Amino acid sequence: FRGEKEKPGRATTAGAAPEATHNQGGPNILYKAEANYVAGDSLFLTGRWSYLESGFFLTPQGGLDANMIFADDEGISRNSYYDYSTDRPQYQANLEANYFRGRHEIKAGFGYRTSDVTSTYIVPGNAIVTFHDGYPNMYGDVTAFNQFTGARGTYLNGFLADTISFDRLTLNIGLRWDRQASSVLGYSQRGNPLLPDLLPDLTGQAADDVIVWNSISPRLGVSYALTEDRGTILRGTYATFAQQMNSGQGSFYSTVGALRGVYFYGVEDLNGNQTVDAEEIAGRTCNADLRAAGDCNWFGFSIANPDNVSTPNHVIGDYGTPLTHEAVIGIDHELMPNFGVSANATWRRFTGFNWRPAQGLRGDDYEQRGTFTGSTPEGTISVPYYGVRDDVVDSIDTGVTEYVTREGYHQRYLGFVLSAAKRLSNRWMARVGFSSYDPREYYDSDQALTDPTPTLPTATNLVGPSIDGGQVLRATTGSGKGAIYMVLPKYQLIANGLYQAPWGINLAANMTMRQGYSMPYNHTLVDTGDPLGTNKTILLVDDVAEFRLPTVTSLDARLGKEFRFGMGGYSPRINVDVDFFNVLNSATVLARRFDQRVTSANQVLEIM
């Protein structure tokens, strides 16, 4: 199988000028072989092998000569963007067996997979990323992004399960084992000649099995038919699931930081080209004292040893495997032939989270530095902000992190689903379902936090908004989309159906209605006086689920025609379908600019 995706102008939003968007391309090729063998009346074997040749490239429409502005005072990217390419091959092999004997149906299997990721970044122009801070004041990120990174994930798993039938009672019992490991590949990374002492050329060393997650996951399910005719069935399950490891989970342990850079604040545009140039930061450097004074900051390396390649800058402490504990109870009832209703309630507890806070820093290492008062379309709010205590700041190197279990932190999920379904009979079928969700996160102590300042999560940093008992908020920027802040809906309704009209014509429709996602108003670049980084993003809501985008209602339809051709004992069929999306032509707002600092605050970024 070969698929190729071409996307001109990826990331085209109100937050990016056309030249700061990407042209995406790259094929994905899948090779797969499968063998099925019937070993006898009760034993069936299956073997599978596959190779996925995957990857893509992102080429900036502004080219590689223009200097990059990540965000001006309107929050808009301009001039150009970074260049990116990645290669992500995967190999996978599985062997499975099904064995039937008496009331038992036994399943067993073993799997192996490897997943590599190698990527290159190029920052265009002078390799300085510019941010406007009340232009002509700016700050610049002198980068060593021109790099080659590499990581490998290796996955082994095995499972054994049995389905046991006793008249109206059915039991499902299973056990699964997983070993997941992330390794670092050796690679070279160019530095930046503007800061040869802080950002030199480096060649990193490979490291095998940097992070290893081992887990044993039990599964137990029970279903019981309450009536002899099996018209009402009660179901319950309990299971644990290991989180799937990203192949780059251990990439931080490379002796070369994946991304290195130095921020210089308070840069004045001397030549009026709206970007930070080498001449405008000439003679500047960065160290702990200058950072404490708010002149600079650094990331991705240790300021005490910037040319280190002998040992990783980061530390691996005690960690575990993130697990999900899940319990589900449900009931199915057939009201009449071909029509039934069902209800399910789900409880989940997520534990064993790992993280990399600044080494040794926890919530009690911070103190309140002040209160920020900000205005939003919903009103004015005052929010406390925090900074590292002066008595601990001298012992901290922000280029060093520690990978450990996030003690005292967990998440809880509650979900409820009610549905009714009419199976295909008398030329029609339909289904309607209602669901509601409540995911929350909990912090048992200050040790589960770093900076207590309420802030936004990002697509790469899930820490935030740090509200005990608050809704779980996640940021996503899939395929170049603008930031969408996802909070699960309190209500979601779906309905779909199909009618078989005469002459082989099928008429179908699908409607979805769900509560809108979060509107997390915030203010960026707030001067908090924190010696580890004064400019922060502060969340301007008490509850991230309080303010929501409009409810989304989408109606889609299909018109289809089936053609049959009689050819003796062989009767081929051809279906021709036409799909109509957003039949009601809804223009529901899907994204806004929530940063109240920029002049384009609250601007609509995307509609349906």
Side-chain angles (χ1 to χ4, degrees):
F1 173 83
R2 176 187 173 99
E4 187 154 356
K5 177 179 180 179
E6 294 184 358
K7 189 170 185 177
R10 168 176 161 152
T12 296
T13 69
E19 67 272 12
T21 64
H22 281 131
N23 290 332
Q24 177 180 343
N28 288 271
I29 305 173
L30 173 67
Y31 305 89
K32 178 183 175 182
E34 178 175 330
N36 295 280
Y37 178 65
V38 180
D41 290 342
S42 56
L43 179 61
F44 301 86
L45 302 176
T46 299
R48 300 183 184 92
W49 172 91
S50 67
Y51 167 63
L52 177 62
E53 185 179 319
S54 177
F56 61 94
F57 61 83
L58 303 174
T59 302
Q61 295 208 46
L64 294 180
D65 296 327
N67 296 334
M68 175 179 165
I69 300 176
F70 184 79
D72 62 14
D73 288 327
E74 294 183 84
I76 297 176
S77 298
R78 298 191 182 278
N79 290 7
S80 190
Y81 215 43
Y82 64 84
D83 181 274
Y84 176 77
S85 64
T86 183
D87 187 27
R88 303 177 181 182
Q90 293 188 43
Y91 290 91
Q92 183 167 336
N94 300 87
L95 179 63
E96 298 176 1
N98 279 29
Y99 178 69
F100 302 89
R101 184 177 180 86
R103 63 178 75 247
H104 296 272
E105 179 184 347
I106 299 173
K107 297 181 179 182
F110 177 80
Y112 170 79
R113 180 168 66 95
T114 63
S115 176
D116 288 8
V117 177
T118 56
S119 306
T120 59
Y121 292 82
I122 300 175
V123 173
N126 58 14
I128 302 175
V129 180
T130 297
F131 301 78
H132 287 186
D133 184 16
Y135 183 79
N137 290 323
M138 306 176 295
Y139 68 97
D141 175 13
V142 181
T143 68
F145 283 17
N146 300 27
Q147 59 177 314
F148 178 83
T149 63
R152 170 171 295 164
T154 305
Y155 308 88
L156 294 170
N157 71 80
F159 68 89
L160 178 64
D162 189 9
T163 301
I164 313 171
S165 301
F166 303 92
D167 190 26
R168 289 190 282 169
L169 176 68
T170 302
L171 298 177
N172 291 276
I173 304 172
L175 199 66
R176 179 185 172 95
W177 165 79
D178 285 275
R179 182 187 187 275
Q180 306 177 77
S182 176
S183 301
V184 174
L185 307 178
Y187 58 86
S188 298
Q189 183 187 71
R190 289 188 352 220
N192 193 309
L194 297 178
L195 296 172
D197 294 332
L198 297 179
L199 300 174
D201 295 344
L202 297 177
T203 299
Q205 302 175 11
D208 293 330
D209 292 351
V210 171
I211 301 296
V212 179
W213 291 349
N214 286 299
S215 59
I216 296 178
S217 306
R219 318 267 172 100
L220 174 63
V222 179
S223 64
Y224 182 73
L226 298 179
T227 57
E228 194 66 37
D229 62 358
R230 275 66 171 173
T232 304
I233 297 177
L234 185 67
R235 293 175 285 103
T237 65
Y238 171 78
T240 62
F241 305 91
Q243 177 180 316
Q244 179 168 314
M245 178 186 288
N246 187 302
S247 58
Q249 184 76 19
S251 60
F252 69 91
Y253 202 64
S254 170
T255 52
V256 174
L259 301 174
R260 293 178 292 153
V262 178
Y263 287 107
F264 289 111
Y265 302 112
V267 180
E268 184 178 357
D269 189 5
L270 300 177
N271 58 11
N273 67 352
Q274 300 190 30
T275 62
V276 176
D277 298 311
E279 306 79 43
E280 293 161 347
I281 57 172
R284 295 184 63 167
T285 187
C286 193
N287 54 46
D289 292 336
L290 292 171
R291 179 189 64 191
D295 291 337
C296 66
N297 206 346
W298 65 88
F299 62 93
F301 68 98
S302 171
I303 199 74
N305 193 8
D307 58 355
N308 168 56
V309 291
S310 58
T311 57
N313 291 323
H314 306 282
V315 178
I316 296 178
D318 295 330
Y319 67 90
T321 302
L323 295 176
T324 299
H325 303 265
E326 178 187 82
V328 181
I329 186 169
I331 187 169
D332 298 328
H333 178 65
E334 187 178 54
L335 291 175
M336 61 185 69
N338 298 316
F339 181 74
V341 295
S342 66
N344 293 279
T346 302
W347 168 89
R348 296 189 185 116
R349 182 182 173 94
F350 304 87
T351 62
F353 288 87
N354 302 308
W355 64 340
R356 288 195 300 126
Q359 187 178 2
L361 283 179
R362 296 296 187 271
D364 54 6
D365 293 315
Y366 289 78
E367 62 184 3
Q368 185 173 344
R369 297 259 174 170
T371 300
F372 177 80
T373 300
S375 297
T376 75
E378 313 298 335
T380 301
I381 183 173
S382 296
V383 182
Y385 56 80
Y386 298 79
V388 175
R389 302 199 324 262
D390 292 333
D391 59 319
V392 300
V393 69
D394 292 337
S395 62
I396 299 301
D397 186 345
T398 57
V400 178
T401 62
E402 182 183 15
Y403 184 88
V404 293
T405 296
R406 191 174 184 180
E407 299 288 352
Y409 175 79
H410 73 276
Q411 295 179 8
R412 187 269 295 151
Y413 165 95
L414 293 177
F416 176 75
V417 178
L418 181 66
S419 64
K422 159 70 169 60
R423 291 193 292 269
L424 181 61
S425 63
N426 299 321
R427 306 175 70 93
W428 71 279
M429 63 180 181
R431 178 176 179 266
V432 61
F434 172 83
S435 55
S436 181
Y437 311 97
D438 184 40
R440 296 184 180 272
E441 56 185 358
Y442 297 90
Y443 304 84
D444 295 340
S445 70
D446 288 340
Q447 300 304 301
L449 292 167
T450 50
D451 187 347
T453 304
T455 190
L456 278 178
T458 65
T460 55
N461 179 18
L462 300 183
V463 177
S466 304
I467 300 175
D468 184 38
Q471 294 276 331
V472 176
L473 179 70
R474 290 292 177 260
T476 178
T477 55
S479 194
K481 303 288 281 185
I484 303 296
Y485 296 97
M486 300 182 67
V487 172
L488 289 182
K490 292 292 185 183
Y491 59 86
Q492 179 170 277
L493 180 68
I494 64 167
N496 53 61
L498 176 142
Y499 174 68
Q500 294 178 323
W503 306 296
I505 295 175
N506 291 325
L507 304 173
N510 181 80
M511 193 224 28
T512 300
M513 181 181 71
R514 67 158 172 81
Q515 189 180 24
Y517 289 134
S518 175
M519 294 200 298
Y521 297 110
N522 61 89
H523 197 290
T524 58
L525 300 182
V526 175
D527 185 358
T528 63
D530 187 344
L532 289 189
T534 180
N535 291 328
K536 296 182 181 180
T537 295
I538 292 184
L539 193 63
L540 299 180
V541 295
D542 292 323
D543 179 359
V544 294
E546 180 179 3
F547 307 117
R548 299 249 193 176
L549 290 163
T551 297
V552 175
T553 302
S554 176
L555 177 64
D556 304 326
R558 165 173 287 186
L559 172 64
K561 175 72 171 73
E562 182 183 85
F563 299 90
R564 301 189 183 189
F565 303 90
M567 299 175 62
Y570 176 62
S571 180
R573 303 178 182 184
I574 294 176
N575 288 302
V576 178
D577 301 310
V578 179
D579 289 314
F580 304 87
F581 297 98
N582 194 15
V583 173
L584 301 178
N585 198 29
S586 299
T588 311
V589 175
L590 301 179
R592 285 184 178 273
R593 189 176 302 285
F594 302 117
D595 183 359
Q596 302 301 293
R597 178 188 65 86
V598 298
T599 57
S600 57
N602 309 312
Q603 179 182 0
V604 173
L605 299 180
E606 185 174 339
I607 63 171
M608 185 169 70

